[in-house]
Amino acid sequence: QSALTQPRSVSGSPGQSVTISCTGTSSDVGGYNYVSWYQQHPGKAPKLMIYDVSKRPSGVPDRFSGSKSGNTASLTISGLQAEDEADYYCCSYAGSYTRVFGGGTKLTVL
Amino acid sequence: QVQLQESGPGLVKPSQTLSLTCTVSGGSISSGGYYWSWIRQHPGKGLEWIGYIYYSGSTYYNPSLKSRVTISVDTSKNQFSLKLSSVTAADTAVYYCAREVALMYFDYWGQGTLVTVSS
């Protein structure tokens, strides 16, 4: 069970859009529509931002959106704001009642 | 509003057993459809799913940790617990408890507790 692959870092200027990818296999990301995304600020617990590939929990701005194509899921943040600077993790169901996280991506707002 | 709080020793000696408890408030641990999970984060690293328990006592563990992990539940206290045996320095991490919805996503997390393995 290997971790999902995410870019180590991405960056963007305020108001721009950024996309974070999350690549797995047909046994996890590609096999199920159970991909979720979490935002983590330093010293804080992760916060759910997207679930079931593209659904947003109540209270999460619609600037955050998710999608999936094949074995790769993506999180897009549009209209970047300073408070979006954080680490982002994807997570997928991986069959046999297990799940796997991505290695995390550090988003820097320039 | 559901809240989770981890508790337990912050320092464990090598080869000993790490024990943590998660206390759930604002909701019943016996509510169907929720799985009560442990997740850890090594310093400066990503998240690693450890395992979860259903209120009935059914458990599932990360295959890489399965031989050393035990998760249990005490519905009368609205708590669930983690035991990780034969710890080494590689088990030093922040340990989070979380609620998972129907095996799909984690919607509530504890604040996390740092456990250091050192003599």
Side-chain angles (χ1 to χ4, degrees):
Chain A
Q1 190 185 56
S2 300
L4 306 175
T5 300
Q6 297 181 233
R8 284 228 170 196
S9 64
V10 297
S11 62
S13 299
Q16 289 187 332
S17 294
V18 295
T19 296
I20 299 171
S21 61
C22 170
T23 301
T25 69
S26 58
S27 296
D28 38 63
V29 175
Y32 309 92
N33 287 323
Y34 296 145
V35 177
S36 51
W37 288 90
Y38 302 86
Q39 176 192 66
Q40 186 180 37
H41 287 110
K44 300 294 187 182
K47 174 187 175 184
L48 177 67
M49 304 301 285
I50 295 287
Y51 68 98
D52 292 358
V53 176
S54 60
K55 297 177 182 177
R56 271 189 317 276
S58 174
V60 173
D62 59 6
R63 303 184 294 103
F64 291 83
S65 62
S67 62
K68 191 185 85 167
S69 177
N71 296 335
T72 298
S74 299
L75 172 71
T76 298
I77 309 170
S78 58
L80 267 180
Q81 298 182 5
E83 60 261 36
D84 298 335
E85 184 162 296
D87 294 327
Y88 291 84
Y89 294 91
C90 60
C91 181
S92 174
Y93 181 67
S96 301
Y97 298 95
T98 64
R99 64 272 297 117
V100 61
F101 283 96
T105 298
K106 181 177 180 58
L107 168 62
T108 300
V109 180
L110 303 171
Chain B
Q1 177 82 344
V2 174
Q3 293 185 312
L4 296 90
Q5 178 69 56
E6 305 90 350
S7 60
L11 181 64
V12 181
K13 289 181 167 47
S15 80
Q16 294 191 340
T17 296
L18 177 161
S19 295
L20 295 173
T21 295
C22 182
T23 300
V24 179
S25 58
S28 173
I29 206 168
S30 299
S31 298
Y34 300 118
Y35 294 77
W36 304 94
S37 302
W38 288 98
I39 295 157
R40 70 180 182 179
Q41 186 170 34
H42 295 103
K45 302 295 184 181
L47 301 166
E48 179 182 29
W49 174 73
I50 298 172
Y52 65 74
I53 190 164
Y54 196 56
Y55 77 93
S56 62
S58 297
T59 55
Y60 292 96
Y61 303 134
N62 185 324
S64 68
L65 297 169
K66 186 176 181 179
S67 63
R68 298 193 294 130
V69 173
T70 302
I71 298 177
S72 59
V73 66
D74 186 336
T75 55
S76 67
K77 294 182 179 179
N78 228 31
Q79 296 176 332
F80 63 106
S81 299
L82 168 71
K83 290 188 185 299
L84 182 65
S85 64
S86 305
V87 297
T88 69
D91 295 307
T92 293
V94 173
Y95 286 77
Y96 294 99
C97 58
R99 187 181 82 167
E100 185 170 13
V101 178
L103 302 180
M104 293 187 291
Y105 55 90
F106 304 97
D107 61 347
Y108 289 101
W109 297 65
Q111 65 185 28
T113 186
L114 174 63
V115 179
T116 301
V117 179
S118 175
S119 56

